[in-house]
Amino acid sequence: MEQGLRDCCRSIRIGKILVDSDHDTHDARVVYAKFPEDIAKRKILLMYPIMSTGNTVIRSVKVLKDHQVPEENIILVNLFCTPQAAHSVVEHFPGMKILTSELHAVAPNHFGQKYFGTE
């Protein structure tokens, strides 16, 4: 998703958050975070392709809020999302916008394997 954004908007400032999710418990842990210095004043596109539980996105938004980004300035861009994940994220951050291409009860893990090259 990042490369597509870079190809479209060459001068865009990009920050990164790497969140590791425990395979069994789904607990999310921040491994790396780096942002532009003026992130609190910007509109943020949080790109996360496949959202099954919402835990990783919730943790990422908490990191952004820790950097004084208002949740109203965060737009989650997502390809596939389960209803459970959408509900969980909206419950935690009602002021945040979510754009997704598909809401389905089962996240397409096979797509994730192809997308990330882990098949």
Side-chain angles (χ1 to χ4, degrees):
M1 291 178 80
E2 178 186 335
Q3 188 59 50
L5 182 62
R6 283 187 188 274
D7 291 345
C8 177
C9 308
R10 295 193 187 280
S11 65
I12 196 162
R13 305 278 316 264
I14 293 184
K16 295 189 182 232
I17 305 173
L18 176 59
V19 177
D20 186 32
S21 198
D22 184 274
H23 184 66
D24 295 323
T25 66
H26 301 289
D27 289 339
R29 169 180 75 86
V30 176
V31 176
Y32 175 84
K34 184 171 182 176
F35 307 113
E37 290 181 16
D38 61 347
I39 191 167
K41 299 175 184 171
R42 294 180 172 268
K43 297 286 186 181
I44 308 300
L45 292 177
L46 178 59
M47 298 186 298
Y48 194 75
I50 303 168
M51 194 165 59
S52 297
T53 64
N55 292 342
T56 302
V57 168
I58 289 167
R59 185 68 184 107
S60 298
V61 174
K62 286 179 180 177
V63 170
L64 290 169
K65 289 184 74 166
D66 288 346
H67 285 80
Q68 277 58 65
V69 176
E71 70 183 62
E72 295 78 18
N73 286 0
I74 303 169
I75 302 167
L76 172 63
V77 180
N78 174 261
L79 298 176
F80 302 102
C81 182
T82 65
Q84 170 198 353
H87 177 74
S88 184
V89 170
V90 168
E91 188 175 275
H92 279 85
F93 308 109
M96 188 174 80
K97 294 174 185 69
I98 300 175
L99 299 174
T100 188
S101 66
E102 186 170 343
L103 192 63
H104 194 274
V106 179
N109 291 329
H110 65 284
F111 175 85
Q113 291 167 346
K114 287 183 184 269
Y115 184 84
F116 292 111
T118 58
E119 63 175 341

